[in-house]
Amino acid sequence: MPKALLLVADGSEEIEFVTPYDVLTRAGFDVVSAGVNLKENYAHMTRNVRIVPDYPTLLSVADKPAHEAYDILILPGGGPGAKTFATSELVLDMIHAFQEKGKHVAAICAGTTALVAAQKKHGGKKSKVTSHPSVKKEVKDAGWEYSEERVAVDGKVITSRGPGTAMLFALTIVEVLAGKEKKNEVAGPMVVAETL
């Protein structure tokens, strides 16, 4: 099964972190979370939930580079957390490394701004993406093709809009990396509505 690396920072959005972690785990993915610039040994999320990541820092994730160890890099939103990702040289370099290696990168809500920042730093393709409406102008002003879809998939880039689309985002990741049958196998017992 695929291996997923899910980042978290202080100010990340709870639903956008927990939902992919939960759904991908149900699908049999090997899911690992890593903190980015945390002040404590936990992430203080946007709605005051505390999340203790599997690894406290990106540097402690693995012996080999993340873009070799994992099949997908996932960035939740939440304004402050997304800003941390978009201003972290390590995160921007990691996004670029995943893309250069032909691996998947996924972002939800304001997390899309980190993809924009990585492209600005390293160059490369500007994908068709979506994001939270609050950062739509920033994404469009950077020259990216913008979609109003709840989840946008463009090649190896998967993006989504916000907390209300987190379930569809997570199930889309399952479908893209493990197939529609696996997605349906996971969605059924969760009693997921046909329209998300």
Side-chain angles (χ1 to χ4, degrees), residues 108-126:
I108 183 170
C109 194
T112 301
T113 60
L115 304 184
V116 172
Q119 190 279 332
K120 186 175 182 181
K121 178 181 179 184
H122 292 286
K125 180 180 182 257
K126 293 180 180 179

Side-chain angles (χ1 to χ4, degrees), residues 22-43:
D22 178 290
V23 172
L24 298 183
T25 299
R26 289 171 190 261
F29 283 47
D30 181 1
V31 184
V32 169
S33 60
V36 178
N37 299 340
L38 300 179
K39 292 184 182 80
E40 305 288 340
N41 65 340
Y42 57 83

Side-chain angles (χ1 to χ4, degrees), residues 2-8 17 21 24 29-35 54-55 57-58 61-62 65-67 69-76 94 98 104-106:
K3 297 178 82 170
L5 177 59
L6 181 55
L7 304 187
V8 66
F17 173 85
Y21 200 112
L24 298 183
F29 283 47
D30 181 1
V31 184
V32 169
S33 60
D54 299 310
Y55 291 94
T57 68
L58 280 179
V61 169
H67 63 275
Y70 297 92
D71 301 299
I72 186 168
L73 175 66
I74 305 170
L75 292 83
M94 185 176 283
F98 268 77
H104 288 86
V105 176

